[in-house]
Amino acid sequence: MESLIRTMLDVATIEAGKLTVSFGTCTAEVLLHETTEVLGPLAASRHVNLVLPPPEPHLTLRADQERVLQVLSNLVGNAVKFTPEGGRVTLSVERDGDMARFAVVDTGPGIPPEHLGQIFDRFWKAEASGQKGTGLGLFIAKGIVDAHGGRIWAESGATGGARFYFTLPLGEAERRAS
Ligand SMILES: Nc1ncnc2c1ncn2[C@@H]1O[C@H](COP(=O)(O)OP(=O)(O)OP(=O)(O)O)[C@@H](O)[C@H]1O
Ligand SMILES: [Mg+2]
């Protein structure tokens, strides 16, 4: 219940164009580690293999750690939720110019190309997806990534599977180095 209230508050804040993030320094390693702590047990209980290739060492972002974890837990949570037993979800992050690019790739049914333009809309859910959810997670994820000056998008794999990507600014030292 508490989390539903938080969800609705986030939606209202994003709709009002008032979502602010507190920029701090966080590392890709910690973000991935925290995501496994939160979603590893769900993946294991659904017999979905959660794979996290280690990121480049010391990859540092200028971002709001709690908000980024919210994005990751929705994307990885979705991937685990929609991937059938025995499937795989891969979460990786790599440097892309001045940004870090996260990728969440799964072996589930994927998203039909005609829906790719709507999935970040409020309350959008595939018809008869048969899964619990309010259809707000991706809307909030987009609001959070936008507030960081990043970009979020999805692709459908040619052989099924969904691929979600988002970018976040690298820390200042990283940007100077690139
Ligand atoms: N990895 C995925 N594979 C297949 N379909 C997906 C995937 N991720 C999202 N979708 C589709 O996009 C819809 C919207 O996702 P979103 O995270 O916004 O909502 P939700 O997961 O249904 O609910 P909530 O996140 O609010 O609990 C999903 O209901 C599903 O139809
Ligand atoms: Mg969701």
Side-chain angles (χ1 to χ4, degrees):
M1 190 58 192
E2 203 188 310
S3 84
L4 183 58
I5 292 171
R6 207 170 297 142
T7 298
M8 296 317 295
L9 264 176
D10 283 346
V11 168
T13 313
I14 292 165
E15 283 182 324
K18 297 238 160 76
L19 185 78
T20 51
V21 288
S22 9
F23 284 101
T25 299
C26 52
T27 68
E29 251 166 343
V30 168
L31 289 166
L32 264 47
H33 175 78
E34 298 274 313
T35 307
T36 342
E37 294 272 291
V38 177
L39 286 153
L42 177 70
S45 76
R46 300 185 68 116
H47 303 284
V48 168
N49 192 7
L50 185 55
V51 181
L52 294 94
E56 169 189 327
H58 315 298
L59 189 63
T60 304
L61 318 184
R62 187 174 164 270
D64 186 325
Q65 176 160 312
E66 286 310 308
R67 287 298 193 175
V68 178
L69 285 172
Q70 201 181 339
V71 174
L72 285 169
S73 63
N74 183 55
L75 294 184
V76 176
N78 283 349
V80 169
K81 176 163 74 168
F82 292 105
T83 297
E85 203 166 295
R88 188 175 62 245
V89 171
T90 309
L91 166 61
S92 58
V93 52
E94 57 187 51
R95 189 190 284 264
D96 180 10
D98 274 358
M99 309 293 275
R101 191 182 66 239
F102 289 78
V104 181
V105 174
D106 68 52
T107 59
I111 295 160
E114 65 271 23
H115 292 156
L116 286 173
Q118 290 147 271
I119 53 173
F120 295 98
D121 293 353
R122 231 176 19 145
F123 296 121
W124 192 86
K125 288 179 65 169
E127 270 169 49
S129 76
Q131 294 291 346
K132 283 192 201 147
T134 50
L136 292 171
L138 289 176
F139 176 79
I140 295 171
K142 182 173 181 339
I144 293 172
V145 172
D146 285 349
H148 281 86
R151 194 164 85 81
I152 184 166
W153 70 100
E155 294 172 0
S156 251
T159 53
R163 300 158 184 267
F164 282 84
Y165 300 93
F166 68 95
T167 60
L168 293 174
L170 285 174
E172 251 165 63
E174 308 273 331
R175 272 181 284 152
R176 275 199 302 273
S178 66

